[in-house]
Amino acid sequence: MVEKSKAKKLQEELSYQKKNYFETADEKERKAIYAYAEGYKAYLDAAKTEREACALSVELAKKAGFSEYHFGDKLKAGDKKYFINRGKSVVVFRVGKKNLEEDGMRLIASHIDAPRIDVKQNPLYEDSGMCFLKTHYYGGIKKYQWTAIPLALHGAVVLKNGKKIEISVGEKESDPVFYINDLLPHLGGDQMGGKAGKIIEGEQLNVVVGGLPYADEEVSDKIKLGVLAYLHEQYGMCEEDFLSAEISAVPADKARDVGFDRALIGAYGHDDRVCAYPALTAVLNEESDHTVLAMLVDKEEIGSEGTTGMQCKVYEDLMEEISIALGANFRKVRAHSKCLSSDVTAAYDPNFASVYEKMNSAILSCGTCMCKFTGARGKSGASDASAEFVGEVRKMFAEGGVVWQTAELGKVDAGGGGTVAKFLANLNIDTVDLGVPVISMHAPWEVISKADLYSNYKAFLAFMK
Ligand code: MN
Ligand code: MN
């Protein structure tokens, strides 16, 4: 081998360059990257809504020896607990042996809701040989992407008698699927000339749920009656029960490897289960001297509002209850706590290079990505992490051998976005964003790298050390 020149050595020593994690990983590490992805894909397929992700996470926690915690319960070092909030969010935590007032908590905050098409409260009608459900979309979507693809319906209905039933249709091979119509190109001249935000309007996102008329001469709206009769037989539902229902249409596809080399994963809802799953498994799999919490919350996609969103006091109450149970002053605890706000960021996409600034973009497979700040137009709305805290986290990652990178979401003034980071930072908790870069974020099918997924998991382990 030719010896490197002095300048070359100096350049390597002084310059910063992102590394592709696959390239730096040895054979054993690469196997671990691929193996970890299998568990993740199974989690994606089994949990498409926040309710399902909450239930599945609790199931996995139970298997790992965790038990349910309620406010007021006693706690001691070594306890492994989960706290369920209304069946839509869950916090899985371990009590560490370190002094809570001095050490604080280590929080990993992710979300388990994802953009989707929600069914309205009075949704059912028939028109021209088809029966539809009217909808109102949830989260930031490009509406045209949700037409002409197979959809599944998931949700919960509270019947008149107070009984709650769960619905999931469209995931099994033998299940029917549902559908949002699009216009044929032959008649789509005017549509295609319009603005992309308008080519499919919100009120056109009607989901086809039937086409067979009820066999009767007397009644009108026979297809609708047929659907109602089916719902009644299957679930005991009447039309009025939609009033107290939460039903969502989500893509019916399963998570699949993408590419000949299977380096990438395509799936619905990587945002943000690609952070929630590593947060959950890190806390389930690894012991820690710290008190560590994996927070899987709801409603991030619509502003973290409500009783299950990160702005709800319930999470602060939980941290306070844990502090009280351990005889610690909550103000001291949170002042010494540290948080990774774990949400996805945009991966640099060479097909849309103009909206990125490449030097400060997340490059696929270069590891999980830290965003010191989010927000838009002059960092507005961002929780800008301090250099001191970033330095601290950077040191943890270096010690844990984590391949990671840093980025902004898009170039300056191209757009932007927010996460739950600011809500935790507002509690006087040092917080920085860290998450997996995603291609086609918020599309019905998003793509991530297996390397970045595993890097995210390793980052959480390093943070818990
Ligand atoms: Mn997100
Ligand atoms: Mn999102």
Side-chain angles (χ1 to χ4, degrees), residues 109-234:
S110 63
H111 67 90
I112 47 178
D113 61 318
R116 63 186 184 223
I117 311 290
D118 280 349
V119 172
K120 287 192 186 189
Q121 291 345 110
N122 184 23
L124 199 65
Y125 69 100
E126 87 166 72
D127 197 347
S128 313
M130 290 169 278
C131 186
F132 298 94
L133 291 172
K134 293 209 68 67
T135 68
H136 192 144
Y137 61 97
Y138 174 95
I141 60 166
K142 291 176 161 180
K143 297 182 204 72
Y144 66 83
Q145 292 181 329
W146 294 73
T147 64
I149 58 170
L151 298 169
L153 290 176
H154 292 244
V157 184
V158 177
L159 304 178
K160 205 173 185 175
N161 62 12
K163 191 181 157 212
K164 187 172 85 177
I165 49 149
E166 310 272 343
I167 290 181
S168 170
V169 184
E171 300 295 345
K172 286 190 257 139
E173 281 298 317
S174 56
D175 277 354
V177 293
F178 308 92
Y179 190 78
I180 296 173
N181 301 348
D182 200 351
L183 188 56
L184 63 167
H186 316 65
L187 299 177
D190 283 351
Q191 182 199 36
M192 295 296 279
K195 280 209 185 317
K198 294 274 178 193
I199 62 174
I200 294 290
E201 304 262 17
E203 292 297 351
Q204 291 176 314
L205 293 173
N206 302 312
V207 180
V208 176
V209 294
L212 181 68
Y214 193 87
D216 186 88
E217 290 303 310
E218 305 276 298
V219 295
S220 60
D221 286 350
K222 293 190 180 91
I223 304 175
K224 177 178 167 180
L225 183 61
V227 168
L228 279 173
Y230 177 83
L231 291 175
H232 189 256
E233 192 193 308
Q234 282 294 310

Side-chain angles (χ1 to χ4, degrees), residues 17-31 33 365-367 401-404 451-452 454-455 458:
Q17 213 151 26
K18 290 188 185 188
K19 294 188 194 101
N20 183 299
Y21 185 16
F22 283 124
E23 261 183 76
T24 64
D26 59 18
E27 185 61 27
K28 193 178 153 216
E29 184 98 347
R30 221 172 298 168
K31 274 204 177 119
I33 290 171
S365 301
C366 287
V402 180
V403 175
W404 63 286
D452 298 334
Y454 193 63
S455 151
K458 278 189 71 175

Side-chain angles (χ1 to χ4, degrees), residues 141 229 268 281-282 363 451:
I141 60 166
Y268 164 67
T281 49
I363 307 295

Side-chain angles (χ1 to χ4, degrees), residues 11 56 73 91 102 176 207 216 262 278 331 339 382 457 461:
Q11 193 175 43
L56 178 59
D73 285 357
V91 179
E102 289 162 14
V207 180
D216 186 88
R262 299 175 175 266
R331 289 183 186 176
C339 175
Y457 175 65
L461 293 183

Side-chain angles (χ1 to χ4, degrees), residues 300 341-346 369-385 407-410 415-423 431-435:
E300 193 280 336
S341 159
S342 194
D343 205 344
V344 299
T345 190
C369 182
M370 183 188 289
C371 295
K372 185 175 174 297
F373 54 86
T374 57
R377 291 168 299 282
K379 304 190 180 182
S380 184
S383 139
D384 197 355
E408 293 186 27
L409 193 150
T419 65
V420 300
K422 59 183 170 186
F423 308 122
T431 303
V432 70
D433 279 296
L434 184 91

